[in-house]
Amino acid sequence: MTRRLVLLLGAALAAALAQPAGLIPLDEAGFQKLIASGKGRVLLVDFWATYCVPCRAEMPQLVALEGRYQSRGLKLIAISADEPEQEAGALEFLRKQRVRCRATSSGRATTTSSSTPSIQNGAANCRPCFLYDRQGAKVKSFFGETDLAALEAALRKLL
């Protein structure tokens, strides 16, 4: 009986850790800390939103990429540009897509072509996706619909 309870609790804990409990608010300083905490891994940072149809269509492909290359050091970070009142919908979408990362929210983030995204007014308009090497340097930027073949080729060079 005790062994069964331990197994059930372990499974529940694993499921809870695999699913984001809530979106973590993110500003520019927090973004820099997030990137720094990923040193030693290749980071794929995707800005998305539930209201962005192409973002929603692309997410399963990004999750699949992470699944293929996770053992070699790839980590997907999904940053929602949804408003705080849309958090429940964003979390439900991430759960259904089996996004394993700790999801963050920029609440209307924008990005520029500089090395640091500008966490301010509406990122899903350009739907950026950034690739960072193991030292935390941004090595590739994708704007609009991501060319997945080009993304995967860039990933392979870093892994």
Side-chain angles (χ1 to χ4, degrees), residues 46-64 93 97 99 127 144-146 148:
D46 181 50
F47 283 80
W48 70 285
T50 56
Y51 54 83
C52 172
V53 175
C55 297
R56 293 171 66 98
E58 190 173 83
M59 187 64 73
Q61 297 165 349
L62 297 179
V63 170
F93 175 77
Q97 296 303 316
V99 175
R127 299 182 26 256
E145 283 191 52
T146 303
L148 292 170

Side-chain angles (χ1 to χ4, degrees), residues 34-118:
L34 184 65
I35 298 304
S37 73
K39 284 189 179 173
R41 294 181 178 178
V42 173
L43 300 180
L44 176 57
V45 180
D46 181 50
F47 283 80
W48 70 285
T50 56
Y51 54 83
C52 172
V53 175
C55 297
R56 293 171 66 98
E58 190 173 83
M59 187 64 73
Q61 297 165 349
L62 297 179
V63 170
L65 269 178
E66 182 188 35
R68 276 198 303 277
Y69 295 109
Q70 186 175 19
S71 66
R72 293 173 58 189
L74 178 63
K75 177 71 178 157
L76 172 65
I77 299 173
I79 301 178
S80 171
D82 287 302
E83 294 293 336
E85 56 271 9
Q86 297 167 317
E87 180 174 330
L91 287 169
E92 178 64 14
F93 175 77
L94 292 172
R95 185 188 66 74
K96 284 181 179 177
Q97 296 303 316
R98 298 184 178 166
V99 175
R100 293 181 294 271
C101 69
R102 186 76 175 137
T104 62
S105 172
S106 61
R108 305 193 73 179
T110 57
T111 57
T112 63
S113 59
S114 69
S115 62
T116 305
S118 174

